[in-house]
Amino acid sequence: MTTSLAHVVDGPEDAPVVLMGSSLGTDRRMWEHAAGVLARRYRVVRYEHRGHGATATPEVEGPVTIDDLGADVVALMDSLGIARAHHVGLSLGGMLASWTAQHHPERVDRLVIACSSSWTDTAQPWRERAATVRAQGLGAIVDPVVARWFTPDLDDAGVRADLRERFLACDPEGYAQACDAIATMDLRPGLARIAAPTLVVAGAADEATPVGKAEETVRGIRGGGGDVRLEVVDGAAHVAAVEQAGVVTGLIVEHLDAGRPEIARGQAVRRAVLGDAHVDRARGRQTALDTDFQDLITRYAWGDVWARPGIDRRMRSALTLALLAALGHEGELAMHVRAALRNGLTVDEIREVLLHTGLYAGVPVSNQAFAIATRVLRDEGLLDGPHPHDG
């Protein structure tokens, strides 16, 4: 039998749907940061597993399987009239996203599997955990379980306390049913059937589902010719969507946006010009406040103007350097000196651009621009000597 999963829906009614499943022992609020960003242009549905959050625990006669929990997700889609959606899940949520992509590929657009596993090495620990929770309650296991969710570097006691409280709020029987399902889970045979473009995310310090588990999932999908990539998030353990919320959200947004041609083109040009490191940092800082602005930049600045064929990127970089210097946009200038190098400008050509700018925009403008460019070029190992003096 299926269970009616509690859920919340955010975002425009006519937007593409993103279905988000959380980890064992948490609720929909685990995805708070990501949902706030995604809901600016997606219809975000965050659901809660049996006995988690506001979802009731059904009475069952025998052990629950991963098929039962997966059927809950499909039933939720049916109840909401969702024919097809992007599926995003962490831990148990990732297992169910993978299950859906294997058994109902027609209902999955793009797929994100985070901090998860495709099979259980040993069933006994999960059976023992289920038995302990049924007999003694969640308090008997809460501290060792939650301790593995975060790295020691996370010094936010409030976050730890909040997740601990949510864990204890779960229904022990619902939690135990999920443990039973994980104990017998083996999704490996179906990985090669996954056709949806897939992003697999792993926490570099995740002990519960180590990076090796993510690599195994990637190999299985790739073995069937699937479009899949792996991203390992530094400074994150098992609940990476909370500990490194900005980074994980950025990865999800970029993966889902890759299905939108007007965004994908801009993303590709932006990375080619500014470099992966810069774009990754910008994605990691993205919030619900600036999502629309980031979308604007990607679509129009990078997808339209920078992608136009009329002039090459070397000339666009030269023009950009001159304009940023003349307008006093010093915060952007250093970034575009690096971009100019990526686009093929030489140190001599950068010097000539800034010299020419001073002729028409003023000596003080060039003076400051040369100081900024000197710092960048020295950092890149392309220039020796002291910084230019003011004057």
Side-chain angles (χ1 to χ4, degrees):
M1 63 172 290
T2 60
T3 297
S4 178
L5 300 180
H7 58 278
V8 294
V9 183
D10 302 289
E13 291 185 5
D14 59 348
V17 177
V18 180
L19 206 65
M20 308 190 80
S22 56
S23 65
L24 176 66
T26 66
D27 57 29
R28 57 180 168 78
R29 290 173 292 176
M30 189 201 75
W31 289 115
E32 203 84 8
H33 183 276
V37 172
L38 289 167
R40 296 300 305 171
R41 56 180 178 270
Y42 291 97
R43 185 76 163 164
V44 180
V45 179
R46 288 176 288 157
Y47 68 86
E48 296 172 321
H49 308 297
R50 299 179 178 197
H52 291 60
T55 299
T57 302
E59 294 184 8
V60 296
E61 294 184 359
V64 170
T65 68
I66 201 70
D67 292 343
D68 296 320
L69 300 186
D72 289 347
V73 176
V74 175
L76 173 63
M77 294 181 71
D78 290 340
S79 70
L80 296 175
I82 300 171
R84 192 174 175 90
H86 302 302
H87 287 248
V88 177
L90 187 146
S91 188
L92 177 57
M95 298 169 192
L96 299 182
S98 177
W99 182 93
T100 306
Q102 294 180 25
H103 291 83
H104 299 275
E106 77 285 355
R107 311 202 69 167
V108 180
D109 276 328
R110 300 181 77 84
L111 179 65
V112 179
I113 302 171
C115 303
S116 193
S117 174
S118 294
W119 72 296
T120 303
D121 303 75
T122 308
Q124 192 57 29
W126 287 103
R127 291 181 175 133
E128 291 175 354
R129 186 187 295 197
T132 298
V133 168
R134 286 183 170 112
Q136 303 176 40
L138 288 161
I141 66 168
V142 59
D143 289 324
V145 170
V146 174
R148 300 176 75 192
W149 283 359
F150 303 106
T151 66
D153 294 334
L154 180 70
D155 59 0
D156 192 330
V159 169
R160 293 179 184 272
D162 182 53
L163 267 292
R164 187 179 190 277
E165 182 180 339
R166 296 185 207 179
F167 184 93
L168 292 172
C170 293
D171 175 59
E173 176 58 26
Y175 185 94
Q177 288 183 16
C179 291
D180 289 338
I182 295 172
T184 57
M185 176 200 66
D186 189 353
L187 298 171
R188 291 174 297 174
L191 290 174
R193 297 199 303 269
I194 293 179
T198 302
L199 169 67
V200 177
V201 178
D206 188 356
E207 297 180 1
T209 52
V211 174
K213 290 287 190 180
E215 293 172 337
E216 185 175 46
T217 297
V218 169
R219 287 194 298 271
I221 297 173
R222 192 168 286 155
D227 175 6
V228 60
R229 69 185 178 97
L230 171 65
E231 292 285 348
V232 179
V233 178
D234 292 330
H238 190 54
V239 189
V242 175
E243 186 166 14
Q244 294 293 339
V247 175
V248 173
T249 296
L251 290 171
I252 294 170
V253 168
E254 186 163 18
H255 180 64
L256 300 188
D257 281 353
R260 304 166 61 197
E262 75 280 11
I263 295 293
R265 181 175 63 248
Q267 286 177 348
V269 174
R270 188 180 187 187
R271 285 188 176 277
V273 173
L274 299 181
D276 290 338
H278 172 83
V279 176
D280 289 343
R281 286 194 299 271
R283 283 292 188 195
R285 293 192 297 267
Q286 187 172 340
T287 67
L289 178 64
D290 69 345
T291 295
D292 294 341
F293 178 65
Q294 292 294 328
D295 190 57
L296 178 75
I297 293 172
T298 303
R299 282 187 291 128
Y300 294 112
W302 298 108
D304 286 346
V305 177
W306 270 89
R308 288 174 63 85
I311 57 176
D312 63 18
R313 290 181 187 168
R314 293 181 75 259
M315 184 174 289
R316 290 192 188 280
S317 273
L319 289 169
T320 302
L321 290 179
L323 288 167
L324 289 174
L327 294 171
H329 298 320
E330 297 171 2
E332 299 279 313
L333 185 55
M335 174 180 72
H336 276 280
V337 170
R338 293 186 178 90
L341 294 171
R342 293 180 63 86
N343 283 337
L345 265 68
T346 65
V347 173
D348 288 343
E349 288 171 329
I350 291 173
R351 179 184 64 238
E352 292 304 317
V353 168
L354 299 183
L355 181 64
H356 195 79
T357 301
L359 180 64
Y360 290 93
V363 170
V365 166
S366 278
N367 187 59
Q368 183 61 17
F370 271 115
I372 293 170
T374 297
R375 286 193 291 270
V376 173
L377 296 173
R378 181 183 289 112
D379 290 343
E380 297 294 325
L382 299 173
L383 194 67
D384 296 323
H387 290 292
H389 296 289
D390 293 334

